[in-house]
Amino acid sequence: NLEMFLREHGKPAPQFSRLIADKTLLVGMTSTVFRDAEYTSHEVTIDDAQMAWFEETLKTHPASEGWQVFVFTHAPPNGSGLRVLQENHVVNGCCWLNHSNDLKCRKFIELVRENRCVKAWFSGHFHLGQDYQDSITFPTIDPKDGPYPNRGACTFVQTSVMRGGTSRDGRQQSRLVRGNKDGFEICTVDHQKDGKIRVDAKITYSDCNHEAGVYAHEDSVAENDNYFKVYQPSAGDNLHAPDDGYRRYNEEGEVVIDEEVTMDSVAWWNMACGRVIGMLNGNLIEYDRSTLAPLGLIVGADELVGKRVAVVDSGLEGECGIDGEEEGMEGADCGGQLGREQAVLLYDGDGDITVVQPNEDGSYWRKIVRNKMVRMKEVRRIKAAKAFAAEKLGKGEESNVVSSWGPYTTTSGTAKKTGVAGLTAPSAR
């Protein structure tokens, strides 16, 4: 697909740069992975070659020499601060560029912070309109309004869609950028109103390293608008305390949220390992430790609502806690455990507890949506099972077909069982 795209559009490479005025450069990067993506096909992946090209482009066009760089990508980078998103992008782990790779995902905002030549970054991906103020974020804000956002000199801009069939909130809009002697304006072109133009924001330069942005209109939100406004934690700074959702550790070194979680519950905390976990719309969500942008779903509302949450130490001081006599654990010890080990617990009034185990890499958000091609094959296998039940077993719709997935269902060192209670069918014997 990428090969055909480049060939048919006469493009020598997935990325581009265009000099459109004196020291004003447009830069674009393209996703190069789809059907062979490791996780969801809808993750927007910028490959290493484009990343290296982008970094070099920024270094050779410094703000100190008066350069202004405007960047265009399909999805926004982690750290953009954009909050009007689609919920499916949050829970499936495909909000941000290179979303499933911690270091590569964070690399974009780090480059923006280091290179103040980046003045604006335009992206789409969410198929949502431009009437919301949270579809534009500024590099600086008045200290009275909150902590310093740490987004370099860049204004991040979400862009809608022009065709009605692809819009998720009914809006059909695109962006127009107009430069002037003081900076630039960001406008909306409304394709449902004969191309009517509205000014959304004005960005003014005081010099090559300092910018100020102001919104030109209030939010325009309809009652039936279908969008998902992300709660993003605020860690505060020297002038501001963390937001009201921040939960501190008690004297026992624990975080205990001893109240039933609801769809409106808001809370977040830092794990000892540096990971950040919080609640959003009844879900347990992991946030990026640097930008506090949502990374993905840990526990869904179907499992979390009505429970309580605790974070407790799980390392046993002075002793190992691994039973070397257990089958499959011979020779194991506690070596290699750096830092404070913790357990995230979900519990109810009856004393039932669920331990939320982290992934092998230490992250918590679940990469549970596989590539579209993998899922298509899985669906075909299920259809084949149903056809077998109908043709060979004489069973119709009453046949119960389930799937068995790995990789892990137990803490045991010897895996002798693969059944999952409540999901797979038990043995007939």
Side-chain angles (χ1 to χ4, degrees):
N1 281 350
L2 179 62
E3 229 176 85
M4 182 183 294
F5 167 77
L6 296 177
R7 183 178 67 249
E8 294 303 316
H9 289 275
K11 292 171 63 68
Q15 71 271 12
F16 73 84
S17 64
R18 300 284 187 275
L19 185 68
I20 61 166
D22 183 41
K23 293 189 179 296
T24 303
L25 192 69
L26 304 186
V27 167
M29 290 176 285
T30 301
S31 181
T32 55
V33 177
F34 181 66
R35 285 185 170 85
D36 55 349
E38 185 174 3
Y39 302 108
T40 172
S41 309
H42 299 289
E43 179 181 5
V44 182
T45 303
I46 305 297
D47 58 50
D48 291 345
Q50 286 187 92
M51 288 282 287
W53 171 85
F54 181 53
E55 186 168 4
E56 182 64 23
T57 298
L58 298 184
K59 287 179 179 177
T60 55
H61 297 81
S64 59
E65 295 180 8
W67 281 97
Q68 307 169 80
V69 178
F70 292 76
V71 183
F72 300 83
T73 55
H74 178 78
N78 176 345
S80 62
L82 298 172
R83 292 176 57 207
V84 178
L85 315 175
Q86 277 288 300
E87 183 175 17
N88 63 307
H89 291 97
V90 176
V91 300
N92 291 340
C94 59
C95 278
W96 319 116
L97 296 172
N98 295 1
H99 193 124
S100 65
N101 185 301
D102 272 6
L103 296 178
K104 293 181 180 181
C105 184
R106 204 176 301 125
K107 179 67 173 178
F108 297 100
I109 193 65
E110 291 171 352
L111 289 174
V112 168
R113 290 168 176 170
E114 295 166 6
N115 298 276
R116 298 187 67 86
C117 59
V118 182
K119 301 303 184 187
W121 193 307
F122 295 82
S123 59
H125 194 45
F126 303 118
H127 295 234
L128 293 171
Q130 302 165 183
D131 294 342
Y132 323 109
Q133 286 191 349
D134 279 329
S135 68
I136 298 176
T137 59
F138 297 128
T140 57
I141 60 175
D142 193 312
K144 69 178 176 56
D145 295 329
Y148 174 62
N150 198 16
R151 292 191 281 265
C154 185
T155 297
F156 288 94
V157 187
Q158 182 172 299
T159 303
S160 183
V161 294
M162 296 170 65
R163 188 169 65 83
T166 59
S167 174
R168 289 194 171 108
D169 60 4
R171 292 165 170 80
Q172 295 171 243
Q173 300 167 324
S174 57
R175 295 287 189 187
L176 171 67
V177 184
R178 296 194 293 213
N180 55 53
K181 63 181 179 61
D182 300 315
F184 61 95
E185 294 178 340
I186 300 167
C187 307
T188 282
V189 179
D190 194 329
H191 300 281
Q192 293 174 320
K193 298 179 179 178
D194 296 323
K196 181 180 179 182
I197 295 175
R198 177 193 67 206
V199 177
D200 296 327
K202 299 180 179 181
I203 291 81
T204 304
Y205 304 147
S206 53
D207 58 44
C208 64
N209 277 314
H210 297 88
E211 303 76 21
V214 294
Y215 295 109
H217 67 86
E218 298 295 325
D219 271 356
S220 175
V221 181
E223 189 175 331
N224 61 344
D225 272 340
N226 178 28
Y227 73 96
F228 179 79
K229 189 169 182 177
V230 167
Y231 161 68
Q232 182 164 321
S234 173
D237 57 18
N238 292 336
L239 299 177
H240 305 85
D243 67 41
D244 292 340
Y246 181 61
R247 298 302 179 98
R248 292 175 169 81
Y249 285 84
N250 60 25
E251 293 180 355
E252 287 76 37
E254 301 172 344
V255 173
V256 179
I257 303 175
D258 198 19
E259 56 200 41
E260 289 189 356
V261 175
T262 70
M263 296 296 290
D264 298 320
S265 294
V266 173
W268 67 280
W269 59 90
N270 297 96
M271 300 293 290
C273 62
R275 301 279 174 178
V276 179
I277 294 177
M279 296 179 197
L280 174 66
N281 285 18
N283 302 310
L284 203 62
I285 298 287
E286 182 171 356
Y287 293 89
D288 181 81
R289 67 182 75 189
S290 170
T291 66
L292 295 182
L295 290 177
L297 179 71
I298 302 173
V299 177
D302 62 318
E303 187 179 354
L304 183 63
V305 170
K307 303 282 183 61
R308 294 171 169 82
V309 181
V311 181
V312 302
D313 283 348
S314 58
L316 301 181
E317 187 175 350
E319 62 179 286
C320 186
I322 293 180
D323 182 4
E325 300 300 317
E326 180 186 346
E327 185 179 359
M329 299 300 282
E330 301 87 347
D333 60 32
C334 291
Q337 297 296 323
L338 300 177
R340 181 172 152 207
E341 186 181 288
Q342 295 176 302
V344 178
L345 310 178
L346 313 180
Y347 64 99
D348 59 22
D350 297 327
D352 293 328
I353 299 177
T354 299
V355 180
V356 181
Q357 302 283 10
N359 304 314
E360 290 185 351
D361 63 0
S363 66
Y364 279 85
W365 70 275
R366 308 310 189 192
K367 300 177 177 70
I368 53 179
V369 177
R370 281 99 55 232
N371 180 278
K372 183 177 289 185
M373 301 304 291
V374 172
R375 289 183 281 119
M376 286 169 58
K377 292 176 182 177
E378 291 174 345
V379 169
R380 288 200 292 266
R381 293 184 188 110
I382 291 172
K383 288 181 177 178
K386 290 181 177 179
F388 177 85
E391 296 168 9
K392 305 294 185 182
L393 307 180
K395 301 289 186 179
E397 293 297 322
E398 72 274 13
S399 177
N400 182 32
V401 177
V402 298
S403 294
S404 173
W405 279 286
Y408 313 115
T409 60
T410 177
T411 60
S412 171
T414 301
K416 296 181 179 178
K417 299 178 180 180
T418 59
V420 179
L423 176 62
T424 55
S427 165
R429 46 176 193 161

